[in-house]
Amino acid sequence: AVDLESCPELVGLLLEHGADPDVPGLDSRTPYQQAVRTGQDQVADLLARHGASIVLSSADQFLAACRRADRAAATAILSADPDLAGRLTPEDHRVLTDAADHGHTEAVRLMLDLGFPPGARSGQDNEATALHLAAAAGSPRTVRLLLERGADIEARDTTWNSTSLEWAIVGSGMRLGHDPHPDWPATVSVLLDAGASTGGIVLSADDPKPPSPEVAALLRARGIVDEEAG
């Protein structure tokens, strides 16, 4: 499987060498359907030019509209198919986590307005919430919105057993996520101001995934101690 977003050139190379553009993935969706759902217009155009079927279900069209924050199109599709929202699966709700990972606050807002659960999880190996991903990506506006809509600030992912605050701290050092204008200090501040627990968080020179210097300074100013200082 190819990461459609991070490797559009690889997608094009595979297509030029005869890859079938309509082979479904493990989720039973074709690459074109996946690209449309996640707003990857460049990849979708590539696939269409190489003969991919461009037939989309009403769910595909709805999720694509949500992902690009097109409120008029999304509400029109729902008006024409009122039962659609009730047929969406947890996997469909991952469009929300994808938007959170990119810091696309207005897309997240639209989906929350239309009934997507604020605790939606990514469904990838780590089963992270939208809040985890927005925090790791350094998107303070998206983090604030999710918290206002009821996202659990202390929810933990299923691989690292870590909170969104811990993801923001690690994200700052590793520059995680896809927000084009990340601000990890502001993101950490939003979480701390909202009451995120700092239990177990220390600063250590031996940390294999240390925070950025800016976030480390912020944490010290907020009372987080260096491990050596006890």
Side-chain angles (χ1 to χ4, degrees):
V2 174
D3 183 336
L4 296 180
E5 177 178 7
S6 63
C7 303
E9 296 83 4
L10 178 55
V11 173
L13 183 64
L14 290 170
L15 291 169
E16 289 169 7
H17 284 77
D20 186 343
D22 287 326
V23 173
L26 295 176
D27 54 11
S28 300
R29 287 195 297 274
T30 66
Y32 182 81
Q33 291 168 333
Q34 180 65 17
V36 168
R37 281 177 169 228
T38 53
Q40 303 306 315
D41 296 338
Q42 180 183 356
V43 173
D45 289 344
L46 259 176
L47 290 162
R49 290 201 304 271
H50 283 82
S53 170
I54 60 173
V55 175
L56 297 172
S57 68
S58 58
D60 289 329
Q61 295 175 45
F62 172 67
L63 294 170
C66 288
R67 187 62 185 78
R68 63 178 184 268
D70 188 339
R71 187 175 295 268
T75 53
I77 293 167
L78 282 183
S79 295
D81 189 355
D83 298 328
L84 175 59
R87 299 199 306 271
L88 295 179
T89 67
E91 186 171 332
D92 294 327
H93 292 153
R94 291 170 193 163
V95 175
L96 171 64
T97 63
D98 179 74
D101 175 59
H102 287 74
H104 290 175
T105 309
E106 293 312 308
V108 173
R109 187 187 311 278
L110 173 58
M111 285 183 262
L112 294 174
D113 287 347
L114 295 177
F116 282 62
R121 289 185 176 260
S122 64
Q124 299 165 352
D125 291 341
N126 56 43
E127 281 283 347
T129 67
L131 186 60
H132 281 99
L133 295 170
S139 181
R141 291 181 63 236
T142 308
V143 166
R144 186 178 292 109
L145 173 63
L146 286 163
L147 291 173
E148 290 171 351
R149 298 299 184 88
D152 182 358
I153 198 170
E154 299 301 337
R156 295 177 177 270
D157 71 277
T158 58
T159 296
W160 308 108
N161 194 35
S162 298
T163 65
S164 54
L165 176 59
E166 292 170 303
W167 275 55
I169 293 170
V170 171
S172 72
M174 298 184 70
R175 301 192 66 82
L176 298 177
H178 297 88
D179 189 319
H181 306 291
D183 188 339
W184 284 283
T187 300
V188 170
S189 292
V190 168
L191 289 163
L192 290 173
D193 291 345
S197 172
T198 58
I201 294 176
V202 296
L203 295 167
S204 170
D206 298 325
D207 191 342
K209 297 178 181 179
S212 68
E214 296 80 6
V215 166
L218 171 62
L219 292 172
R220 291 188 182 97
R222 293 295 191 104
I224 304 300
V225 299
D226 287 274
E227 191 173 45
E228 294 80 3

